Amino acid sequence: MSTLEIRDLHVSVETKEGAKPILRGVDLTIASGQTHAIMGPNGSGKSTLAYSLAGHPKYQITGGEVRLDGQDVLAMSVDERARAGMFLAMQYPVEVPGVSVSNFLRTAKTALDGEAPALRHWVKDVKTAMERLRMDPAFADRSVNEGFSGGEKKRHEILQMELLKPKIAILDETDSGLDVDALRIVSEGINRVREGGEVGVMLITHYTRILRYVQPDFVHVFVDGRIAEEGGPELAEQLEAEGYDRFLAPA
Amino acid sequence: MTTELSTSLPTDHSRAVADGAHSHGLVPEASRAARLTSFDPADFPVPTGREEEWRFSPMDRLAPLFDAAGEGLREGGVQVTVVNPPEVGVEIVGRDDPRLGSVGRPGDRTAVTAWHGFTDATIVTVPPQTVASSATSVRVEGLDRTGEPTAAHLMVHAGELSEAVVVIDHVGAATLTETVEIQADDGAHLTVVSIQDWEPGSVHAAAHRLSVGRDATVKHVVVTLGGDVVRITPDAGFTGEGGDVQALGLYFADADQHQEHRLFIDHNQPSCRSRVTYKGALQGDGARTVWVGDVLIQAHAEGTDTYELNRNLVLTDGARADSVPNLEIETGEIEGAGHASATGRFDDEQLFYLMSRGVHEIDARRLVVRGFFAELIGQVGVPEVEERLLAAIEDELAASMAALEGER
Ligand SMILES: Nc1ncnc2c1ncn2[C@@H]1O[C@H](COP(=O)(O)OP(=O)(O)OP(=O)(O)O)[C@@H](O)[C@H]1O
Ligand SMILES: [Mg+2]
């Protein structure tokens, strides 16, 4: 059992005009086995939350705390967070020319486990996971994300989630840009990881269509850098029907 | 401007006229075609540093190689050792050997002092129709730590339809100006690798002159790692149609190193192809690299296909890379011509992505830098050299990682 606790998190980004506050007091607790959907308008700070949890240097933490099973996440470096069990599937995965997918996956697995995986099993695991995500085996030899289509990048993120087995997975718009088949395939991948009941998932999305495959336990409405309302799966349907208007304009 | 052959040496340079720079009536003054080539030192006064071809260079450090007094350079500053397969011939010849100087003429001051500075030259010959059974290794070892300037002359001649790989290794300590003549006769397949891995304190200028025969393929690989100042000027020209030059370069400059590579591909024959790919990494205060890629497509060189690329990866503050591609096209009837040049900082987003998967910073940096060079190294096509390059990059990185660790 793992628990990620976010308390009163404040985050700014550096701009020419000085520090600009983006997150204004986020409170959220995610435990293993739970799936939390985060929905909110463009620019409300969802990716900022995701990147801040992963430790991206662009974001300055100006207040609050984040703990994973009591450990101070904000004090950890980016790689330490990953080794502590955090995983971020990015909205825009980065291209790394000259580094093959297979080399990258093996290096990551080795870093997380502290030792190289047994080669035979590992090769088989990678192959199986790729097959299930309908990724052509040729991707193993291609450079990480280089020239991947938007949908291929997202599958590659979920491939990593399946193989690296995080405690807390943050999925930032993994569903965006996927066609209907890809959405189902990627959702099945997420569900395979969820089945074990050992992962807590933060699923950032604009659409309820992924939530029909990956059913959330909680839905949070994210507006202007904080959570404005929380509810069950029915809240997602309501948002899709009504939009965010009632959160944006004070009643 | 017309370039005249004027030399007082008792050497037969008639072929140099045929193979060397051509004269043109109607080219602009700045054109690469107008650049003088000559065996006469008087044609290349000691440069001031304001000349186009010297404007990036550390003149004070190169000064010993200019031989300002005109006294000639000292002999014996380097020792040349060749290990060759039985099919490949190796000769040590006097400077009056008629083959020497047949592949073009010096194009700048250090090239002309190199031409006048040597007594004996080493000629590696691959006989016609011969396929070398293994690579030929030419070791140029610097034996001088006093900074006294010296000269050396090498020639690699691949006969018609021959195939060979020659690896020239520059090690030790030297203040050296050098000529490397590379002649590939019709239909030859020749790979020449020149590695500059000098000890600190070394200064090295080298003029590589390539002559590519009809349907010949030359892969010319330059690797610059060690030495205070290294300035290499590969010039390539063709003697028949269908020639193919692939020029690859890899360099890694550390603090206070100056590494300069100036290429000139002269498309002086129709239907030839050239590909230039140079990549460099820089780290440390005062690390400096210069890449200049001149390509000239002459009016009669129809069907030319050329592309040149230079990329630089700046790993730390205080390092500077210059990159200047020049493409001059005198005919529209070509297959293709293009160039790309980019100098980028180490990409923190790549670092973040890798680290967010648990990879330690040091390993992530290694992956990114190795990745930057990976494709280029794969193109070298000589396994021993590829392995050495990978190991050399590891060594370079180990140094910078130690510095990074120290900051913690
Ligand atoms: N460097 C910056 N300078 C100014 N504003 C910035 C900077 N970086 C981010 N922001 C702003 O921070 C806000 C939050 O951005 P974020 O990417 O977190 O939004 P989001 O909720 O993920 O939006 P989307 O749904 O479009 O992905 C945006 O208004 C964005 O413009
Ligand atoms: Mg976003």
Side-chain angles (χ1 to χ4, degrees):
Chain A
M1 265 303 274
S2 291
T3 310
L4 180 75
E5 289 180 274
I6 304 165
R7 289 287 160 266
D8 197 26
L9 187 65
H10 286 71
V11 172
S12 295
V13 292
E14 212 53 60
T15 70
K16 277 191 228 75
E17 293 78 37
K20 174 182 171 186
I22 309 285
L23 300 189
R24 305 153 181 275
V26 177
D27 287 289
L28 184 62
T29 301
I30 299 177
S32 316
Q34 297 177 347
T35 296
H36 295 250
I38 308 259
M39 305 182 80
N42 294 135
S44 56
K46 304 179 298 299
S47 293
T48 302
L49 174 62
Y51 277 118
S52 301
L53 295 174
H56 193 291
K58 172 176 156 184
Y59 301 95
Q60 273 102 50
I61 312 294
T62 53
E65 60 174 33
V66 178
R67 295 194 175 269
L68 178 61
D69 299 329
Q71 285 179 283
D72 183 357
V73 171
L74 298 178
M76 298 179 197
S77 63
V78 175
D79 51 323
E80 284 168 347
R81 295 179 198 207
R83 293 198 296 276
M86 308 270 293
F87 176 86
L88 168 61
M90 293 181 202
Q91 186 173 357
Y92 303 108
V94 181
E95 301 191 357
V96 192
V99 178
S100 72
V101 166
S102 64
N103 183 16
F104 165 60
L105 293 173
R106 192 171 4 92
T107 305
K109 185 69 176 172
T110 304
L112 291 174
D113 292 0
E115 58 177 3
L119 203 62
R120 284 248 312 284
H121 288 288
W122 175 247
V123 170
K124 193 164 144 275
D125 287 353
V126 173
K127 199 167 159 265
T128 312
M130 286 180 71
E131 272 168 17
R132 290 195 300 210
L133 285 165
R134 309 276 197 282
M135 288 178 76
D136 192 295
F139 276 91
D141 296 324
R142 286 178 60 175
S143 290
V144 170
N145 293 321
E146 196 179 39
F148 289 19
S149 74
E152 288 163 353
K153 284 181 182 166
K154 299 302 176 70
R155 286 181 211 218
H156 180 228
E157 295 292 282
I158 298 308
L159 174 70
Q160 294 169 52
M161 178 184 169
E162 282 205 69
L163 290 167
L164 302 180
K165 302 191 175 21
K167 291 177 180 156
I168 301 291
I170 302 159
L171 311 181
D172 191 359
E173 296 199 26
T174 298
D175 54 335
S176 295
L178 295 180
D179 65 42
V180 279
D181 292 332
L183 180 69
R184 186 176 44 77
I185 290 160
V186 161
S187 300
E188 285 168 6
I190 298 169
N191 285 338
R192 277 192 295 276
V193 184
R194 291 206 307 162
E195 262 161 32
E198 282 165 16
V199 68
V201 177
M202 179 194 291
L203 186 84
I204 298 171
T205 183
H206 287 292
Y207 308 104
T208 51
R209 55 174 201 162
I210 189 173
L211 302 181
R212 296 198 188 107
Y213 293 106
V214 184
Q215 264 150 22
D217 304 293
F218 307 93
V219 173
H220 309 267
V221 185
F222 207 84
V223 178
D224 198 19
R226 59 162 75 91
I227 291 170
E229 187 164 317
E230 297 176 333
E234 72 292 343
L235 181 55
E237 304 290 343
Q238 191 189 333
L239 289 171
E240 188 147 273
E242 297 170 10
Y244 298 108
D245 275 3
R246 74 181 165 96
F247 300 102
L248 295 175
Chain B
M1 180 191 232
T2 306
T3 57
E4 292 296 336
L5 175 68
S6 55
T7 173
S8 55
L9 289 163
T11 311
D12 174 11
H13 290 300
S14 55
R15 263 187 298 169
V17 181
D19 295 353
H22 292 239
S23 53
H24 299 274
L26 284 171
V27 285
E29 190 64 84
S31 167
R32 190 57 215 244
R35 191 84 63 83
L36 179 73
T37 63
S38 161
F39 288 102
D40 185 355
D43 285 334
F44 300 103
V46 173
T48 62
R50 286 187 295 275
E51 301 79 1
E52 173 57 35
E53 67 267 37
W54 293 104
R55 65 189 175 106
F56 295 113
S57 310
M59 303 307 279
D60 50 339
R61 291 199 278 179
L62 283 161
L65 300 178
F66 295 148
D67 185 26
E71 290 165 346
L73 304 180
R74 200 175 61 97
E75 284 173 51
V78 294
Q79 183 179 316
V80 180
T81 315
V82 184
V83 178
N84 53 305
E87 318 77 47
V88 172
V90 179
E91 298 160 80
I92 310 294
V93 302
R95 60 172 300 115
D96 56 348
D97 189 291
R99 290 169 291 181
L100 300 177
S102 60
V103 186
R105 293 167 290 195
D108 63 25
R109 179 72 189 183
T110 47
V112 84
T113 60
W115 173 252
H116 288 281
F118 73 95
T119 315
D120 297 322
T122 303
I123 302 185
V124 173
T125 307
V126 192
Q129 320 265 350
T130 302
V131 177
S133 55
S134 65
T136 297
S137 149
V138 180
R139 187 180 159 89
V140 180
E141 184 172 7
L143 307 168
D144 184 298
R145 282 173 185 74
T146 65
E148 241 196 281
T150 192
H153 195 106
L154 306 175
M155 183 174 201
V156 177
H157 181 186
E160 276 184 25
L161 297 167
S162 66
E163 283 184 42
V165 174
V166 177
V167 179
I168 307 166
D169 244 310
H170 298 91
V171 294
T175 299
L176 172 70
T177 181
E178 180 190 36
T179 307
V180 181
E181 292 189 78
I182 298 167
Q183 182 176 336
D185 291 345
D186 295 352
H189 277 69
L190 175 64
T191 296
V192 175
V193 181
S194 178
I195 301 173
Q196 289 67 237
D197 198 6
W198 300 105
E199 289 173 16
S202 299
V203 175
H204 181 205
H208 290 217
R209 298 200 279 273
L210 286 73
S211 160
V212 182
R214 183 166 50 81
D215 296 327
T217 299
V218 175
K219 192 186 283 188
H220 181 257
V221 185
V222 170
V223 178
T224 301
L225 302 167
D228 284 8
V229 178
V230 175
R231 184 180 186 274
I232 315 271
T233 56
D235 286 4
F238 301 88
T239 62
E241 299 189 14
D244 186 319
V245 172
Q246 188 180 12
L248 304 176
L250 182 157
Y251 46 94
F252 208 126
D254 295 312
D256 295 321
Q257 279 187 292
H258 177 99
Q259 300 178 343
E260 181 166 345
H261 301 94
R262 291 180 163 266
L263 290 93
F264 176 40
I265 311 281
D266 187 2
H267 277 277
N268 54 347
Q269 292 283 340
S271 304
C272 292
R273 183 175 180 275
S274 61
R275 289 287 179 277
V276 177
T277 309
Y278 268 62
K279 284 189 162 196
L282 299 84
Q283 61 184 10
D285 235 359
R288 180 87 156 83
T289 67
V290 177
W291 177 87
V292 178
D294 291 341
V295 173
L296 170 65
I297 303 175
Q298 298 197 16
H300 58 281
E302 293 175 355
T304 290
D305 179 6
T306 176
Y307 194 84
E308 50 172 0
L309 174 136
N310 174 232
R311 293 220 185 292
N312 297 295
L313 182 59
V314 180
L315 297 173
T316 66
D317 291 334
R320 176 175 162 184
D322 284 285
S323 180
V324 187
N326 294 309
L327 183 56
E328 281 180 73
I329 306 179
E330 298 175 348
T331 172
E333 304 294 311
I334 56 170
E335 283 290 309
H339 58 73
S341 146
T343 296
R345 310 261 329 164
F346 188 87
D347 188 340
D348 291 331
E349 293 299 326
Q350 294 179 359
L351 194 63
F352 171 73
Y353 187 75
L354 296 171
M355 288 176 70
S356 78
R357 273 39 175 164
V359 181
H360 293 85
E361 177 170 359
I362 286 179
D363 296 327
R365 283 183 177 268
R366 277 209 181 99
L367 276 176
V368 171
V369 176
R370 266 196 229 135
F372 175 74
F373 287 118
E375 198 189 340
L376 174 67
I377 291 177
Q379 287 173 24
V380 171
V382 185
E384 309 91 272
V385 174
E386 292 181 5
E387 275 161 38
R388 271 184 62 186
L389 292 182
L390 290 170
I393 290 168
E394 293 304 310
D395 287 351
E396 293 282 355
L397 286 169
S400 63
M401 295 310 151
L404 198 77
E405 295 270 78
E407 282 170 22
R408 296 262 168 80

